[in-house]
Amino acid sequence: MKEEKSNRDMIVETNRDVKWICRTLEEMKESIGDHENRIRDLEGFKSESAGRERQISAGVGAGAGGLVAVLMRFLQ
């Protein structure tokens, strides 16, 4: 038959389980913090990239507008 655990054995086992749970929760918190940092980095990169794209678009638009103005001048 199965031997019953003593109160001391159950306390030791519970203590061990609580320590494991605490370590696991701490690891989860660190992992979440790492993921949050990565997300912030990606959002920053995305913002910088979008700003560069807007600058390029504005530059291309200005260049095209200037070219059209020059062509219109010569065609008149």
Side-chain angles (χ1 to χ4, degrees):
M1 273 199 216
K2 191 173 182 179
E3 214 175 293
E4 288 191 32
K5 293 182 181 181
S6 69
N7 286 340
R8 183 180 186 285
D9 291 338
M10 288 191 304
I11 290 171
V12 168
E13 185 177 347
T14 301
N15 187 26
R16 190 179 314 130
D17 290 345
V18 168
K19 287 180 181 179
W20 178 84
I21 290 169
C22 289
R23 279 192 312 268
T24 303
L25 287 173
E26 190 61 37
E27 290 171 2
M28 290 172 67
K29 286 179 187 177
E30 290 172 5
S31 178
I32 289 170
D34 184 46
H35 285 103
E36 288 175 351
N37 289 336
R38 289 179 184 190
I39 289 171
R40 277 193 288 279
D41 290 344
L42 287 171
E43 288 172 343
F45 176 75
K46 184 178 177 184
S47 295
E48 289 175 10
S49 178
R52 279 190 224 114
E53 288 175 5
R54 275 187 240 122
Q55 289 175 346
I56 291 170
S57 295
V60 169
L67 179 62
V68 168
V70 169
L71 290 175
M72 294 298 291
R73 177 99 173 146
F74 284 115
L75 293 176
Q76 288 181 355

mmCIF file of all heavy atoms in Angstrom, residues 5-20:
data_model
loop_
_atom_site.group_PDB
_atom_site.id
_atom_site.type_symbol
_atom_site.label_atom_id
_atom_site.label_comp_id
_atom_site.label_asym_id
_atom_site.label_seq_id
_atom_site.Cartn_x
_atom_site.Cartn_y
_atom_site.Cartn_z
ATOM 1 N N LYS A 5 2.261 10.338 3.820
ATOM 2 C CA LYS A 5 3.324 11.292 4.097
ATOM 3 C C LYS A 5 3.098 11.923 5.455
ATOM 4 O O LYS A 5 1.960 12.188 5.853
ATOM 5 C CB LYS A 5 3.353 12.400 3.046
ATOM 6 C CG LYS A 5 3.740 11.925 1.675
ATOM 7 C CD LYS A 5 3.787 13.100 0.711
ATOM 8 C CE LYS A 5 4.159 12.612 -0.667
ATOM 9 N NZ LYS A 5 4.236 13.708 -1.626
ATOM 10 N N SER A 6 4.185 12.167 6.115
ATOM 11 C CA SER A 6 4.077 12.843 7.405
ATOM 12 C C SER A 6 3.878 14.337 7.173
ATOM 13 O O SER A 6 4.092 14.848 6.070
ATOM 14 C CB SER A 6 5.349 12.614 8.231
ATOM 15 O OG SER A 6 6.434 13.295 7.648
ATOM 16 N N ASN A 7 3.477 15.015 8.215
ATOM 17 C CA ASN A 7 3.291 16.464 8.119
ATOM 18 C C ASN A 7 4.599 17.150 7.721
ATOM 19 O O ASN A 7 4.609 18.072 6.923
ATOM 20 C CB ASN A 7 2.793 17.040 9.444
ATOM 21 C CG ASN A 7 1.337 16.707 9.684
ATOM 22 O OD1 ASN A 7 0.598 16.383 8.756
ATOM 23 N ND2 ASN A 7 0.920 16.789 10.939
ATOM 24 N N ARG A 8 5.693 16.666 8.276
ATOM 25 C CA ARG A 8 7.003 17.250 7.962
ATOM 26 C C ARG A 8 7.322 17.066 6.485
ATOM 27 O O ARG A 8 7.776 18.009 5.814
ATOM 28 C CB ARG A 8 8.085 16.590 8.812
ATOM 29 C CG ARG A 8 9.459 17.184 8.595
ATOM 30 C CD ARG A 8 10.501 16.491 9.465
ATOM 31 N NE ARG A 8 11.783 17.109 9.382
ATOM 32 C CZ ARG A 8 12.614 17.009 8.360
ATOM 33 N NH1 ARG A 8 12.270 16.301 7.305
ATOM 34 N NH2 ARG A 8 13.780 17.616 8.365
ATOM 35 N N ASP A 9 7.060 15.888 5.941
ATOM 36 C CA ASP A 9 7.311 15.623 4.512
ATOM 37 C C ASP A 9 6.450 16.541 3.627
ATOM 38 O O ASP A 9 6.931 17.062 2.620
ATOM 39 C CB ASP A 9 7.022 14.166 4.172
ATOM 40 C CG ASP A 9 8.021 13.200 4.784
ATOM 41 O OD1 ASP A 9 9.136 13.648 5.108
ATOM 42 O OD2 ASP A 9 7.674 12.004 4.929
ATOM 43 N N MET A 10 5.202 16.735 4.003
ATOM 44 C CA MET A 10 4.315 17.597 3.220
ATOM 45 C C MET A 10 4.776 19.055 3.290
ATOM 46 O O MET A 10 4.730 19.784 2.289
ATOM 47 C CB MET A 10 2.870 17.466 3.702
ATOM 48 C CG MET A 10 2.254 16.133 3.312
ATOM 49 S SD MET A 10 0.480 15.999 3.572
ATOM 50 C CE MET A 10 0.290 16.364 5.299
ATOM 51 N N ILE A 11 5.255 19.483 4.456
ATOM 52 C CA ILE A 11 5.750 20.851 4.596
ATOM 53 C C ILE A 11 6.999 21.061 3.753
ATOM 54 O O ILE A 11 7.139 22.060 3.058
ATOM 55 C CB ILE A 11 6.015 21.189 6.091
ATOM 56 C CG1 ILE A 11 4.687 21.289 6.832
ATOM 57 C CG2 ILE A 11 6.810 22.481 6.223
ATOM 58 C CD1 ILE A 11 4.835 21.400 8.336
ATOM 59 N N VAL A 12 7.905 20.092 3.783
ATOM 60 C CA VAL A 12 9.127 20.187 2.983
ATOM 61 C C VAL A 12 8.778 20.233 1.497
ATOM 62 O O VAL A 12 9.317 21.044 0.734
ATOM 63 C CB VAL A 12 10.083 19.014 3.306
ATOM 64 C CG1 VAL A 12 11.198 18.940 2.290
ATOM 65 C CG2 VAL A 12 10.625 19.133 4.714
ATOM 66 N N GLU A 13 7.867 19.380 1.073
ATOM 67 C CA GLU A 13 7.460 19.350 -0.328
ATOM 68 C C GLU A 13 6.777 20.655 -0.735
ATOM 69 O O GLU A 13 7.046 21.214 -1.808
ATOM 70 C CB GLU A 13 6.521 18.165 -0.578
ATOM 71 C CG GLU A 13 6.152 17.993 -2.027
ATOM 72 C CD GLU A 13 5.279 16.770 -2.255
ATOM 73 O OE1 GLU A 13 5.154 15.929 -1.352
ATOM 74 O OE2 GLU A 13 4.721 16.690 -3.363
ATOM 75 N N THR A 14 5.922 21.165 0.123
ATOM 76 C CA THR A 14 5.238 22.426 -0.149
ATOM 77 C C THR A 14 6.239 23.575 -0.246
ATOM 78 O O THR A 14 6.156 24.422 -1.146
ATOM 79 C CB THR A 14 4.191 22.727 0.938
ATOM 80 O OG1 THR A 14 3.245 21.655 0.979
ATOM 81 C CG2 THR A 14 3.465 24.031 0.660
ATOM 82 N N ASN A 15 7.206 23.582 0.666
ATOM 83 C CA ASN A 15 8.243 24.614 0.663
ATOM 84 C C ASN A 15 9.030 24.574 -0.648
ATOM 85 O O ASN A 15 9.310 25.598 -1.264
ATOM 86 C CB ASN A 15 9.167 24.436 1.865
ATOM 87 C CG ASN A 15 10.147 25.560 2.019
ATOM 88 O OD1 ASN A 15 9.896 26.670 1.582
ATOM 89 N ND2 ASN A 15 11.281 25.286 2.628
ATOM 90 N N ARG A 16 9.384 23.373 -1.076
ATOM 91 C CA ARG A 16 10.111 23.185 -2.333
ATOM 92 C C ARG A 16 9.272 23.683 -3.516
ATOM 93 O O ARG A 16 9.776 24.368 -4.414
ATOM 94 C CB ARG A 16 10.453 21.711 -2.516
ATOM 95 C CG ARG A 16 11.406 21.435 -3.644
ATOM 96 C CD ARG A 16 11.746 19.954 -3.772
ATOM 97 N NE ARG A 16 12.072 19.340 -2.500
ATOM 98 C CZ ARG A 16 11.522 18.191 -2.033
ATOM 99 N NH1 ARG A 16 10.644 17.526 -2.758
ATOM 100 N NH2 ARG A 16 11.868 17.708 -0.859
ATOM 101 N N ASP A 17 7.981 23.375 -3.513
ATOM 102 C CA ASP A 17 7.085 23.810 -4.579
ATOM 103 C C ASP A 17 6.960 25.335 -4.609
ATOM 104 O O ASP A 17 6.973 25.951 -5.679
ATOM 105 C CB ASP A 17 5.697 23.192 -4.413
ATOM 106 C CG ASP A 17 5.686 21.695 -4.682
ATOM 107 O OD1 ASP A 17 6.664 21.185 -5.273
ATOM 108 O OD2 ASP A 17 4.698 21.035 -4.299
ATOM 109 N N VAL A 18 6.853 25.941 -3.438
ATOM 110 C CA VAL A 18 6.730 27.400 -3.360
ATOM 111 C C VAL A 18 7.995 28.065 -3.905
ATOM 112 O O VAL A 18 7.921 29.037 -4.655
ATOM 113 C CB VAL A 18 6.433 27.854 -1.909
ATOM 114 C CG1 VAL A 18 6.591 29.361 -1.760
ATOM 115 C CG2 VAL A 18 5.036 27.424 -1.500
ATOM 116 N N LYS A 19 9.150 27.535 -3.558
ATOM 117 C CA LYS A 19 10.405 28.089 -4.076
ATOM 118 C C LYS A 19 10.467 27.967 -5.595
ATOM 119 O O LYS A 19 10.874 28.893 -6.288
ATOM 120 C CB LYS A 19 11.610 27.397 -3.436
ATOM 121 C CG LYS A 19 11.831 27.796 -2.001
ATOM 122 C CD LYS A 19 13.031 27.078 -1.417
ATOM 123 C CE LYS A 19 13.235 27.461 0.036
ATOM 124 N NZ LYS A 19 14.378 26.766 0.636
ATOM 125 N N TRP A 20 10.044 26.821 -6.116
ATOM 126 C CA TRP A 20 10.042 26.624 -7.563
ATOM 127 C C TRP A 20 9.096 27.620 -8.232
ATOM 128 O O TRP A 20 9.437 28.225 -9.260
ATOM 129 C CB TRP A 20 9.617 25.189 -7.896
ATOM 130 C CG TRP A 20 9.547 24.939 -9.369
ATOM 131 C CD1 TRP A 20 10.573 24.611 -10.196
ATOM 132 C CD2 TRP A 20 8.378 25.037 -10.196
ATOM 133 N NE1 TRP A 20 10.119 24.485 -11.489
ATOM 134 C CE2 TRP A 20 8.777 24.745 -11.525
ATOM 135 C CE3 TRP A 20 7.050 25.335 -9.938
ATOM 136 C CZ2 TRP A 20 7.881 24.754 -12.581
ATOM 137 C CZ3 TRP A 20 6.155 25.344 -11.002
ATOM 138 C CH2 TRP A 20 6.574 25.047 -12.303
#
